[in-house]
Amino acid sequence: MERFQDKTVLVTGGTSGIGLAAAKAFIAEGARVVITGRDAAALDKAQTELGPRAVAVRNDAAASGAAKELAAAIAGHGLKLDAAFLNAGAAKFAGLADVTEGFWDDTFNTNVKGVFFQIQAIAPLLAQGASIVINGSINAHIGMPNTAVYAASKAAVISLAKTLSAELLPQGARVNVVSPGPVSTPLYGKLGLDASTLEATAAQIQAQIPLGRFGTPEELASTVLHLSASESAYIVGTEIVVDGGMSQL
């Protein structure tokens, strides 16, 4: 299939995990992909891996000013956007007593403020019928201890998908959310846990998944592509949960 032949797609946080898998999948179906990330070395590595149909832009998803810079960089390449996967996010966990204002701000700046201002900045670049997909999380729906701030930030973007879809419909664009459950990505290696604790934590989480395993980035990418393609044109302001049944059964 080449659903994205001659189309241009933005993938924020496209250097690893779900973002990189989505970028590869878009390119495999004919798209030119603009990826973003904060780490220059990771960006260079991802661009090399993705090949000549990828454009890498160093950008901080948490800064509202960076959203304007990203839009300017895309426009500078003479591109319009047919789809955008707003995947860059922060996943930090702490109990109620340990959350500081800085912790709160870091999470909400990346997961909510950044997403809002990215959509605001790229709105003029959206082609007719464009699709925006935001990366959410099942944590918005389950009461998992130590995730209050992260879960609240993901609940906020689920709301944004509805309200901003209503605002963007006059120009033919729509916004949806894909909410992953546990997925095998480098994220789990960034939680600051030693190897044995990380392994025990992963086993505990896996035991709660009806399918008995973590998802793969490629499985999430396939849902992102579905929501980005014309075949899903009747899906607007909606969340699709991809979690092996963890929040559903």
Side-chain angles (χ1 to χ4, degrees), residues 18 133-142 154-155 158 162 176-183 208-211 215-216 219-224 226-227 235 237-249:
I18 297 169
V133 179
I134 305 173
N135 198 349
S137 172
I138 64 165
N139 285 101
H141 304 290
I142 59 178
K154 293 304 185 177
I158 293 169
K162 299 179 184 298
N176 291 292
V177 176
V178 59
S179 284
V183 177
Q208 301 175 52
I209 305 170
L211 284 184
T216 68
E219 287 172 322
L220 267 295
S222 67
T223 303
V224 172
H226 171 62
L227 287 173
I235 301 176
T238 294
E239 176 194 19
I240 295 182
V241 174
V242 186
D243 70 348
M246 183 174 178
S247 67
Q248 307 296 313
L249 305 182

Side-chain angles (χ1 to χ4, degrees), residues 2-205:
E2 292 189 345
R3 291 173 291 180
F4 299 93
Q5 189 66 42
D6 301 322
K7 296 184 181 297
T8 300
V9 179
L10 167 67
V11 178
T12 67
T15 60
S16 65
I18 297 169
L20 181 59
K24 290 179 179 178
F26 278 119
I27 288 173
E29 293 204 26
R32 172 182 293 187
V33 175
V34 179
I35 62 167
T36 73
R38 289 185 295 183
D39 185 276
L43 269 174
D44 289 343
K45 181 181 178 182
Q47 184 171 29
T48 299
E49 188 172 349
L50 293 170
R53 298 194 65 80
V55 176
V57 178
R58 191 176 183 185
N59 196 260
D60 182 358
S64 58
K68 295 178 181 179
E69 294 171 2
L70 174 59
I74 294 169
H77 284 282
L79 302 173
K80 297 282 284 185
L81 292 175
D82 298 285
F85 177 33
L86 304 185
N87 166 71
K92 298 180 179 181
F93 308 124
L96 175 63
D98 297 320
V99 172
T100 64
E101 185 175 357
F103 181 100
W104 176 282
D105 288 344
D106 287 345
T107 300
F108 268 76
N109 284 350
T110 303
N111 293 355
V112 185
K113 185 176 80 172
V115 166
F116 179 88
F117 284 105
Q118 286 162 5
I119 293 175
Q120 181 191 70
I122 67 174
L125 301 177
L126 297 176
Q128 182 68 25
S131 170
I132 297 172
V133 179
I134 305 173
N135 198 349
S137 172
I138 64 165
N139 285 101
H141 304 290
I142 59 178
M144 183 180 291
N146 304 319
T147 68
V149 179
Y150 175 71
S153 73
K154 293 304 185 177
V157 297
I158 293 169
S159 175
L160 284 181
K162 299 179 184 298
T163 53
L164 296 183
S165 274
E167 290 200 38
L168 291 171
L169 277 178
Q171 69 181 80
R174 56 199 173 89
V175 187
N176 291 292
V177 176
V178 59
S179 284
V183 177
S184 299
T185 74
L187 169 66
Y188 285 92
K190 298 176 182 178
L191 298 180
L193 304 176
D194 60 71
S196 61
T197 303
L198 187 61
E199 185 176 342
T201 301
Q204 183 181 30
I205 293 171

